[in-house]
Amino acid sequence: MPGLHGGPGSIPCHCGMDWSSGCLLANRIGSPYKELLTTTPQGKRAQMESQPILLFDGDCGFCGRTIEMARRVIQPRVQFAPWQYADLAALGVTEDRADREVLWISPIGGKVYGGPRALSAMLMSGRKRWRWLGIVLRMPPVNWMAGGVYRVVAMNRHRLPGGTITCSLPARMRHEPDRHI
């Protein structure tokens, strides 16, 4: 799956719909992402190189709502992208890692930070009042505790507000038909 969403005339995306019919993810996550998902490959590369990217699980309702809240409240200077539409190989990320944790990809050197470190970077790129929290999240012993809390939340995101059973499944199983029927 090269690049972010392939755009008009592309093969069906992971949600099972062709873009011309209306990708479920693009319709669900709203207009700020539609532009990102339909940009030309050259434009995507320029976007990826000019600002940090925060990859999140686009299939997870809890993740999507959390990202929308962060966009409104924290207002970080970052490009949010569902990992299902990102060119993971170009970003130096595996599908397994992207499915396991939120990822911050720095435009300088392409450094990748996951989990609480990614959230810390997002907070530090946001409005002034949130920067201190991002700094505190990187300091011991807070960063040790943040790692444990992040793992518990990630493992139970299907139980949290906005979460669905899809949030608890590994990506490879989310769109497979039920073989037990």
Side-chain angles (χ1 to χ4, degrees):
M1 169 172 47
L4 299 172
H5 196 281
S10 66
I11 58 170
C13 72
H14 80 285
C15 71
M17 295 192 69
D18 183 73
W19 183 258
S20 60
S21 304
C23 171
L24 295 177
L25 179 64
N27 289 328
R28 184 176 76 215
I29 59 181
S31 60
Y33 301 105
K34 286 182 184 177
E35 180 181 314
L36 173 68
L37 299 177
T38 58
T39 306
T40 66
Q42 295 80 14
K44 289 173 199 165
R45 178 89 43 216
Q47 284 177 324
M48 288 170 31
E49 293 171 357
S50 66
Q51 63 179 333
I53 299 171
L54 188 82
L55 294 179
F56 67 97
D57 187 348
D59 286 336
C60 175
F62 172 75
C63 300
R65 288 186 181 178
T66 302
I67 293 300
E68 287 302 317
M69 185 192 70
R71 284 184 63 244
R72 267 191 332 274
V73 177
I74 300 167
Q75 299 176 357
R77 290 178 307 276
V78 65
Q79 177 184 340
F80 293 101
W83 70 259
Q84 290 87 347
Y85 292 95
D87 185 346
L88 299 178
L91 296 171
V93 175
T94 64
E95 184 176 319
D96 183 53
R97 184 170 183 198
D99 189 40
R100 194 174 57 245
E101 61 186 351
V102 65
L103 297 170
W104 173 278
I105 295 106
S106 172
I108 302 167
K111 285 195 165 218
V112 179
Y113 303 104
R117 183 80 189 261
L119 297 178
S120 168
M122 182 194 62
L123 289 165
M124 289 170 51
S125 77
R127 294 167 66 187
K128 263 187 180 177
R129 69 177 102 170
W130 294 99
R131 291 181 188 158
W132 68 270
L133 184 56
I135 293 167
V136 169
L137 267 176
R138 289 195 177 181
M139 296 179 174
V142 176
N143 63 348
W144 305 330
M145 291 183 284
V149 170
Y150 185 89
R151 282 188 296 279
V152 169
V153 169
M155 289 177 10
N156 293 288
R157 60 189 174 156
H158 62 285
R159 294 185 175 110
L160 298 171
T164 64
I165 193 66
T166 304
C167 302
S168 66
L169 296 173
R172 67 184 182 282
M173 296 176 62
R174 290 186 189 155
H175 302 285
E176 289 180 2
D178 190 355
R179 295 182 183 169
H180 303 292
I181 297 177

